[in-house]
Amino acid sequence: LLVTNVTDLSAEEIVKRYKALADIERGFRVLKSEIEIAPVFHRLPERIKAHASLCFMALILYRVMRARLKLAGPRILTVTGDAVLNTADLLGLGNLHVTGTTADNVGNVTTGGTQTYDGAVTLGTDATFTGTTGTYTGGIVGGGNDLTLNFSGLTVVSGGTFSGVKNFATGNGGTTQLSGTITTTGTQTYNDDVVLSGDTVAAAGVNLVRFAGTLDGAAAGAQSLTVNGAGGAQFDGVVGGTSLSSVAVTGPTALNTTAVTTSGTQTYSG
């Protein structure tokens, strides 16, 4: 419900103006962050006005480039080397590929297409990555922050060291492919289906590791799952539609499913 004292605009125009507030607020954020309108280190009024004018001219150029890039359609950005992400507004970017390390200082990174990170991704704040396909093969350094991977297609987390993340979650209706050791200080919640491409260890300490969808191996009887920690595991979907080689859980286990299939052992220690 929108309430206004403006009487000469249609309901459609009022809603349009209201939705434009987010764009205006984005402009203020850009002025404060990338353009750095403040603090002002000038004393004379003329120089202060000149500083502000240059900053607003930069904002106009930014908005023009943003609008033109959106009209031109998705763009592909490949960073050969290391990258530092200081803005989540990637100007209608389609695909993003970083061959080196990535420092994410903004949290939310959204693209219309794929995101591929060959090197380690270091989080400077709580982060949500959104797109169609996400590939993380160089490890993730969490710095005590939460991480959410929201990809509608395939999410690949394999290789490198996955550590320092607090709460880790996946979702958005895709499939998550795991291998190696996934270590968190908080919970692990896999809201989409999971496929193990290699032996996988999920370690969450005293916190729960939850598989809300199905859990399969990439090849029958070839991949194992170990859940380490007192928090235990919860399985809400069929486990081993494509059978795992083994399953081991050191904490308590909640089996909210009709089947757990392995070619080898199943060990529930909790």
Side-chain angles (χ1 to χ4, degrees), residues 24 32 47 52 82 128 143 151 169 184 201 234 241 251 265:
I24 295 171
K32 294 176 182 178
R47 294 183 178 179
D82 300 338
T128 299
F151 293 95
T184 59
V201 177
Q234 178 175 324
T265 61

Side-chain angles (χ1 to χ4, degrees), residues 16-35:
K16 185 177 179 181
R17 296 282 182 91
Y18 176 77
K19 289 183 176 180
L21 287 174
D23 200 37
I24 295 171
E25 291 171 354
R26 183 187 296 112
F28 281 113
R29 288 197 299 271
V30 171
L31 275 174
K32 294 176 182 178
S33 56
E34 285 92 337
I35 299 176

Side-chain angles (χ1 to χ4, degrees), residues 170-194:
T170 66
N172 205 18
T175 299
T176 296
Q177 180 177 298
L178 300 175
S179 70
T181 300
I182 312 296
T183 304
T184 59
T185 58
T187 60
Q188 296 182 31
T189 306
Y190 302 94
N191 291 304
D192 47 8
D193 294 338
V194 173

Side-chain angles (χ1 to χ4, degrees), residues 94-95 111-115 130-134 150-155 172 174-175:
N95 301 335
T111 60
T114 64
Q115 297 182 33
T130 304
T132 57
T133 300
N150 279 336
F151 293 95
S152 57
L154 181 65
T155 303
N172 205 18
T175 299

Side-chain angles (χ1 to χ4, degrees), residues 2-9 14:
L2 294 178
V3 179
T4 180
N5 60 356
V6 178
T7 59
D8 58 344
L9 294 177
I14 290 172

